[in-house]
């Protein structure tokens, strides 16, 4: 199917009552972070069903047509198709395959080119770990660790909130694969970010790093930074600790933070 055909099909599934629910949930009113976003009223499982039906037949050349759509769910569909293509080039058998490496790099570059189209937290969270985060842990013809750090650094210092969120949320995958360094680096970079969505992302990724890699590394990070962390980030980071330890970390005086 072409991008146009996919869009036409998804438009036929519009649900006005669900559309209103989603527009409130994703903060689309003036002044809110999702202002201007438009919804068809499709739930994520519905979009996944579309992806399941069309992904294997949708070439990468059609993805920009989906990512540039004004419809939130269509952009999600495009991102999930990219995830589908990436994961099929990242199986154990293909990790070091030269053709698969080039294909993964191509998908990664397409993802980065249209990164600003992933302009809400769900679009970032459902795509960045599985494309960007996984790419960090695999061989690349573009460059190895220094190159990959530069890619994430560019996202982290961007003026785009969603690119910034990508740079930390992608570490969900790297932590799952046993590497804490990406989470720790970008949690520290974003420690004083002004936006609540980033406070939640930093705390969430720290929590996942502690769970997946090392609680001692999480505690080391907290010993260094708990007093300067936004309280939301700290609460998220310690969520899986026992009551006594959570109380201890939350009792540390904050340096002028809320």
């Amino acid at each position: 199917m072409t991008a146009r055909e996919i869009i036409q099909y998804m438009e036929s599934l519009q649900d006005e009552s669900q559309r209103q629910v989603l527009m409130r949930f994703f903060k689309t009113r003036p002044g809110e972070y999702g202002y201007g976003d438009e919804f068809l009223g499709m739930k994520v499982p519905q979009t996944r069903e579309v992806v399941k039906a069309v992904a294997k037949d949708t070439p990468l050349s059609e993805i920009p047509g989906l990512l540039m759509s004004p419809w939130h769910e269509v952009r999600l569909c495009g991102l999930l198709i990219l995830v589908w293509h990436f994961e099929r080039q990242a199986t154990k058998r293909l990790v070091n395959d030269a053709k698969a490496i080039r294909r993964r790099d191509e998908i990664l570059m397409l993802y980065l080119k249209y990164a600003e189209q992933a302009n809400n937290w769900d679009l970032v969270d459902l795509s960045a770990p599985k494309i960007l985060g996984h790419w960090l842990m695999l061989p690349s013809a573009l460059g190895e660790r220094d190159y990959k750090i530069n890619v994430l650094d560019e996202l982290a210092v961007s003026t785009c909130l969603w690119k910034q969120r990508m740079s930390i949320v992608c570490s969900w995958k790297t932590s799952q694969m046993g590497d804490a360094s990406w989470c720790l680096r970008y949690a520290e970079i974003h420690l004083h970010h002004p936006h609540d969505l980033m406070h939640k992302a930093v705390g969430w990724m720290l929590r996942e790093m502690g769970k997946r890699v090392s609680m001692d590394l999480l505690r080391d990070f907290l010993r260094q930074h708990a007093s300067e962390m936004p309280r939301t980030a700290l609460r998220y980071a310690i969520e899986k600790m026992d009551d006594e330890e959570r109380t201890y970390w939350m009792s540390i005086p904050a340096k002028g933070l809320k």
Side-chain angles (χ1 to χ4, degrees), residues 197-250:
L197 281 177
M198 291 297 290
H199 302 169
K200 292 175 180 177
V202 167
W204 171 30
M205 290 302 105
L206 285 169
R207 183 186 73 216
E208 289 301 308
M209 184 279 296
K211 175 183 174 183
R212 304 283 183 172
V213 186
S214 169
M215 289 298 292
D216 286 338
L217 284 176
L218 173 56
R219 293 183 181 103
D220 286 345
F221 185 93
L222 295 177
R223 277 190 282 270
Q224 286 184 272
H225 300 296
S227 65
E228 57 181 322
M229 289 176 70
R231 298 297 91 175
T232 297
L234 181 57
R235 281 193 293 270
Y236 271 60
I238 64 177
E239 190 174 38
K240 297 301 182 181
M241 296 177 177
D242 61 37
D243 290 346
E244 183 178 359
E245 188 167 11
R246 287 201 307 273
T247 299
Y248 166 74
W249 290 114
M250 292 303 299

Side-chain angles (χ1 to χ4, degrees), residues 131-249:
I131 298 175
L132 181 56
H134 203 172
W135 175 80
L136 293 173
M137 301 295 289
L138 296 170
S140 170
L142 297 172
E144 291 308 319
R145 189 172 179 87
D146 287 347
Y147 176 85
K148 292 174 179 179
I149 288 172
N150 287 335
V151 168
L152 258 63
D153 282 356
E154 286 188 16
L155 294 172
V157 302
S158 167
T159 58
C160 174
L161 172 64
W162 310 114
K163 288 184 176 182
Q164 295 166 358
R165 188 174 173 97
M166 284 178 181
S167 70
I168 180 65
V169 171
C170 72
S171 71
W172 194 3
K173 184 67 173 183
T174 57
S175 291
Q176 286 177 341
M177 297 179 73
D179 187 341
S181 65
W182 300 98
C183 174
L184 295 172
R185 176 181 176 85
Y186 293 96
E188 191 166 34
I189 286 173
H190 292 305
L191 200 62
H192 302 115
H193 197 287
H195 204 293
D196 182 65
L197 281 177
M198 291 297 290
H199 302 169
K200 292 175 180 177
V202 167
W204 171 30
M205 290 302 105
L206 285 169
R207 183 186 73 216
E208 289 301 308
M209 184 279 296
K211 175 183 174 183
R212 304 283 183 172
V213 186
S214 169
M215 289 298 292
D216 286 338
L217 284 176
L218 173 56
R219 293 183 181 103
D220 286 345
F221 185 93
L222 295 177
R223 277 190 282 270
Q224 286 184 272
H225 300 296
S227 65
E228 57 181 322
M229 289 176 70
R231 298 297 91 175
T232 297
L234 181 57
R235 281 193 293 270
Y236 271 60
I238 64 177
E239 190 174 38
K240 297 301 182 181
M241 296 177 177
D242 61 37
D243 290 346
E244 183 178 359
E245 188 167 11
R246 287 201 307 273
T247 299
Y248 166 74
W249 290 114

Side-chain angles (χ1 to χ4, degrees), residues 98-135:
K99 185 177 179 180
I101 290 172
R102 291 194 299 272
R103 187 70 165 171
R104 292 195 302 261
D105 287 345
E106 180 184 7
I107 294 166
L108 183 279
M109 295 307 292
L110 181 61
Y111 181 70
L112 293 176
K113 181 177 180 180
Y114 291 94
E116 290 191 19
Q117 295 304 110
N119 59 345
N120 214 312
W121 58 263
D122 63 318
L123 302 180
V124 172
D125 297 358
L126 291 171
S127 61
K130 293 183 177 181
I131 298 175
L132 181 56
H134 203 172
W135 175 80

Side-chain angles (χ1 to χ4, degrees), residues 28 46 58 139 233 239:
T28 62
Q46 288 179 283
T58 305
E239 190 174 38

